[in-house]
Amino acid sequence: MSSAAWHARIECGDEVGAGFLVSARQVLTCAHVVQWDQTAAVSVTFPGHQELGSLTATVVVRGGWQGGDTSPGDVAVLELDREVPIAPARFAPPGAERGPSAPELVAYGFPAGYEEGALAVYRAVRGPLIADEWVQLQAVAAHGQPLADGFSGAALALDGQVVGMVTQIAGEPDLRVGRMLPTQVIARYWPELGELVPTPDHHLDAVRRLYTLVRRAVDRRADCDPDRLYRDAVGAFGPELPPGGFATLGAAAGYVQWEVPDAEAVTRFADLLQELLDAPPARPATASSWSPIVVELDHSGAGPDQVTVEVSAYREGQRRRVGSRRLPRSAVREYVQRSIDEAFTHLSSDAAELLTFVLPREWLNEPVAHWECGTEDSTPLGCAYPLVVVDRSRHRSGGLRHQLSRKWQKLDACPKARLHRVECDTTERPPSLRKRLREDDVGLAGFSFPPATARPHFDAGLNTPVPVLLWSRTGCSALRHEGRCSGQVFLDRLAASVADVPPAELPRHVMALRETANADEDPETHWANHVQLLWDDPRCFPEPAASLHSPVA
């Protein structure tokens, strides 16, 4: 890949600026470049990869810039509408721009008349940060390209590694000065940057662990007080809490990484956070604590569009049939909505409901968690209640029910289960995968792809007594490809999210993930928006599974 591939051109209304790719979908730029994003589209192009065309982007982080040249926090993070096959920018250690030889810094911007871009070469002026925010820049030569309109948001690179971002240009081209935000200041406004920038005082593994724990806490909506964690991490003689404290856990983590001289504070902060996340839940769930409402769907045999639907409720281990119909597929959702409401009348007032969709194997990827609660309530079912899917064939298999029940007895004795990853770049044959899942006694398996991508591999998980399977309904669509994909990113986030969750609690945990995704500014891009949970504990359904009949509507 060209070293210029990660440079980006950004347009928003009449504003044209620059930016740089920091992950497969994230671009850093100045807040003033995208200040009109509420009324104008934000488009991003990569001059080094013109075949990608123009990509739409959304502003997902704002640094607090209020307008004008002297307002701090002129930072924005954009999320692209899709991942791009470009290696993101790499970062130099903080302070590299102030080296003893006054190194040259190269900015890639888009001044008028240079849609493909132009280069400007500057140096950082030694001395303190201006207003504790900016590094002053000075041109290397009195000729050549000055910092002009179109350079705002450009990365300043030293030997191809980013040291900061252009935020201000001189009003007069002849002045040949400007200002940049160094990476450690950008991280104040976007703490996640701390994981990307090498900090010599901290081991990379310690920093990665810190931000992995922060993401897990955010995903779980853990009750963590960032101010208290900071005080405990730095101790009585450490730097005082900043005025106003920390708005987020990420802000506290970033401050410890960048502003606290004691390098061990990062490890102490991470240790304290892990202790909070590892604390056992006050009331862990067990199989007997769930009261399932079962929605069973199957082909009716009366035609390709006809579906047999049966809804039941379990109370004190006894199955109570609510209703059954043979319906055209278009009428199924409305009938299920009404029947679920009726099923709640069969549960005791203190019952922990569990919506369970028993589906044919070829329907396991149906978006049932996204079905609305009713005609007057648009809340997705998966955000209103714990909701799981079950494979109908193994729901009716006496042998697998017996093996699954024994597996759950083991899982109940364990506070947590490790996620076994089934990757889309696997070269393993399905029979080998099936053997490994059985020999490793896997209790929790995560797939980077939906069932249709590799049906034989998915069947290997379904035909062995693996009680819990998770995947993204919109995961990777191909096996054995090159490079990372959205499915593998999904597994990374999922592994961190469920690492300390008891398997019996997963339905509630996944419901919380779905709520978080649904509340996001752009739910479709949230990693957990399309999570599907197959959670199969036969002890919740003590009656033998009977054949679903085909009643006349």
Side-chain angles (χ1 to χ4, degrees):
M1 290 292 183
S2 165
S3 62
W6 43 263
H7 293 288
R9 184 178 191 271
I10 299 169
E11 293 187 43
C12 180
D14 294 332
E15 296 284 343
V16 174
F20 50 103
L21 190 73
V22 294
S23 75
R25 289 189 65 178
Q26 291 175 311
V27 173
L28 260 176
T29 188
C30 289
H32 76 261
V33 172
V34 292
Q35 61 183 301
W36 310 115
D37 70 301
Q38 299 300 311
T39 57
V42 179
S43 63
V44 179
T45 54
F46 293 92
H49 277 271
Q50 296 185 16
E51 74 279 3
L52 296 176
S54 178
L55 293 87
T56 302
T58 304
V59 181
V60 293
V61 175
R62 301 177 194 273
W65 177 77
Q66 298 296 314
D69 290 341
T70 59
S71 178
D74 194 1
V75 174
V77 181
L78 312 182
E79 188 166 78
L80 303 175
D81 58 11
R82 64 182 185 274
E83 294 185 358
V84 292
I86 301 174
R90 293 183 300 118
F91 290 83
E97 71 277 3
R98 296 170 182 260
S101 60
E104 294 183 354
L105 309 177
V106 179
Y108 193 132
F110 302 90
Y114 292 89
E115 189 168 334
E116 75 285 1
L119 302 179
V121 184
Y122 276 67
R123 287 193 176 99
V125 176
R126 294 184 184 180
L129 293 178
I130 298 173
D132 197 36
E133 181 91 357
W134 298 281
V135 170
Q136 184 165 320
L137 301 172
Q138 184 170 313
V140 170
H143 51 80
Q145 174 66 53
L147 292 179
D149 290 336
F151 274 89
S152 292
L156 283 149
L158 169 60
D159 296 330
Q161 295 184 323
V162 178
V163 298
M165 178 174 71
V166 176
T167 57
Q168 295 179 26
I169 59 174
E172 297 293 334
D174 292 341
L175 294 178
R176 296 186 179 274
V177 295
R179 289 180 180 179
M180 79 167 188
L181 287 181
T183 51
Q184 63 267 34
V185 174
I186 298 174
R188 295 178 191 169
Y189 305 106
W190 188 44
E192 287 82 354
L193 183 66
E195 193 173 3
L196 305 176
V197 180
T199 44
D201 293 335
H202 303 294
H203 292 296
L204 181 60
D205 289 344
V207 173
R208 286 176 174 168
R209 173 175 174 250
L210 172 66
Y211 286 98
T212 297
L213 290 168
V214 169
R215 284 193 295 270
R216 188 193 306 172
V218 171
D219 289 342
R220 289 174 55 178
R221 297 192 293 184
D223 185 13
C224 301
D225 182 348
D227 293 354
R228 181 174 179 179
L229 278 172
Y230 173 80
R231 291 192 185 98
D232 291 344
V234 303
F237 301 102
E240 293 186 3
L241 192 72
F246 299 107
T248 65
L249 189 61
Y255 196 88
V256 170
Q257 178 188 0
W258 295 102
E259 308 291 347
V260 177
D262 181 4
E264 292 303 313
V266 165
T267 299
R268 289 195 297 271
F269 190 99
D271 289 343
L272 291 166
L273 181 55
Q274 183 151 21
E275 286 180 17
L276 287 173
L277 295 174
D278 288 347
R283 295 180 62 188
T286 63
S288 60
S289 69
W290 292 112
S291 294
I293 292 175
V294 179
V295 179
E296 190 168 1
L297 308 180
D298 197 15
H299 304 284
S300 75
D305 187 49
Q306 296 296 305
V307 179
T308 302
V309 187
E310 185 165 287
V311 180
S312 306
Y314 280 80
R315 179 166 179 166
E316 298 175 353
Q318 299 299 313
R319 183 183 183 188
R320 303 185 179 199
R321 181 169 292 161
V322 176
S324 59
R325 291 286 189 277
R326 186 177 68 205
L327 299 165
R329 193 159 183 171
S330 60
V332 168
R333 189 175 303 190
E334 183 178 353
Y335 176 76
V336 168
Q337 292 167 341
R338 294 198 311 268
S339 299
I340 286 175
D341 272 341
E342 184 180 349
F344 273 98
T345 65
H346 294 268
L347 303 184
S348 60
S349 59
D350 60 346
E353 72 276 5
L354 176 67
L355 297 193
T356 305
F357 279 76
V358 181
L359 305 173
R361 189 160 294 189
E362 64 271 24
W363 291 355
L364 283 177
N365 210 45
E366 285 292 310
V368 290
H370 285 256
W371 289 7
E372 296 179 351
C373 287
T375 55
E376 297 182 0
D377 183 358
S378 63
T379 305
L381 284 172
C383 295
Y385 313 108
L387 185 151
V388 302
V389 299
V390 173
D391 175 54
R392 187 167 180 268
S393 63
R394 80 174 191 170
H395 186 66
R396 297 171 58 189
S397 168
L400 274 174
R401 283 170 60 85
H402 176 73
Q403 292 177 320
L404 284 166
S405 296
R406 286 193 304 170
K407 182 67 71 67
W408 273 107
Q409 290 174 2
K410 295 181 182 179
L411 290 177
D412 285 345
C414 300
K416 54 189 176 182
R418 181 179 66 87
L419 180 73
H420 183 96
R421 299 170 66 115
V422 182
E423 306 272 8
C424 45
D425 60 0
T426 181
T427 58
E428 189 172 27
R429 295 174 57 247
S432 174
L433 173 61
R434 183 172 60 247
K435 180 174 181 289
R436 183 160 54 85
L437 291 173
R438 191 181 296 275
E439 289 180 347
D440 292 350
D441 206 23
V442 172
L444 179 62
F447 290 74
S448 66
F449 50 87
T453 297
R455 181 68 64 184
H457 288 79
F458 225 92
D459 288 347
L462 293 170
N463 293 333
T464 52
V466 179
V468 182
L469 283 74
L470 295 113
W471 66 93
S472 171
R473 292 182 39 258
T474 59
C476 190
S477 60
L479 289 185
R480 292 181 289 279
H481 55 74
E482 294 183 0
R484 287 178 56 77
C485 66
S486 61
Q488 291 166 322
V489 173
F490 168 80
L491 285 187
D492 291 344
R493 302 295 299 274
L494 179 67
S497 177
V498 305
D500 300 311
V501 181
E505 271 289 333
L506 280 171
R508 287 195 184 96
H509 181 71
V510 170
M511 183 184 90
L513 289 179
R514 289 168 174 153
E515 283 188 288
T516 300
N518 187 251
D520 194 78
E521 289 187 3
D522 188 0
E524 275 300 312
T525 63
H526 193 282
W527 73 270
N529 188 50
H530 295 287
V531 63
Q532 195 85 318
L533 169 63
L534 187 147
W535 187 92
D536 196 357
D537 189 342
R539 299 171 301 171
C540 290
F541 316 99
E543 291 185 3
S547 296
L548 188 63
H549 64 286
S550 298
V552 176

